[in-house]
Amino acid sequence: MTAVQHLAALSALALATSGACAQFVKGNEAVSLAPDGSTRVETPPLPKATLGKPCPAASPACGTGGWLMVETREGLRECTEIYARPGSCRGSSYGTEKRPRLWIVKSKGQWLQCERPSLDSKCVTTKTLPNIVVQ
């Protein structure tokens, strides 16, 4: 095994055993590994009521009340809504920029919004007013 391969294997092992693994929130049921090795990602279902156009994540006016961190097929994204509809999300700046954020996760079959990227942080149902934390 070359030094580069060894380093890559150690990095993968460290990520897999930490709380911030590929799904970013340990225990997030919205992200699962299929038997064929592919990753399955679920986002909150759209409500039965018709929604207006989402506030585009690229707009400076959107996201001023805080970003919703949602795992999508494209990876962790900052979104203006929990549903992650096209145009409502952008690449994550978590770890490089401090912003008000909530983490959208699924636990025990219920969609939650958590203060931090951990199910041990304060999590409430997505139907409740959240407590947004700058992180």
Side-chain angles (χ1 to χ4, degrees):
M1 181 180 275
T2 69
V4 172
Q5 289 173 322
H6 186 67
L7 183 58
L10 286 175
S11 297
L13 179 63
L15 267 176
T17 58
S18 72
C21 57
Q23 61 192 23
F24 292 90
V25 178
K26 188 176 182 180
N28 182 2
E29 295 169 5
V31 180
S32 60
L33 193 59
D36 66 0
S38 63
T39 303
R40 186 178 147 269
V41 181
E42 194 180 345
T43 54
L46 291 169
K48 292 184 186 350
T50 303
L51 296 174
K53 282 180 63 174
C55 196
S59 170
C62 297
T64 57
W67 289 97
L68 302 168
M69 305 304 290
V70 181
E71 241 341 282
T72 69
R73 286 181 187 85
E74 293 80 32
L76 183 65
R77 311 281 286 167
E78 294 175 342
C79 302
T80 58
E81 62 177 24
I82 67 170
Y83 311 109
R85 290 187 288 169
S88 70
C89 298
R90 66 182 189 183
S92 173
S93 64
Y94 181 69
T96 58
E97 295 180 25
K98 290 207 175 271
R99 300 180 179 276
R101 301 174 198 277
L102 279 174
W103 298 80
I104 307 303
V105 298
K106 189 175 184 182
S107 178
K108 298 178 184 167
Q110 184 178 18
W111 287 100
L112 303 172
Q113 45 195 346
C114 299
E115 284 184 348
R116 304 208 178 272
S118 168
L119 288 172
D120 293 335
S121 67
K122 184 177 180 183
C123 298
V124 295
T125 177
T126 54
K127 296 173 175 96
T128 305
L129 288 175
N131 181 35
I132 298 178
V133 176
V134 175
Q135 38 190 317

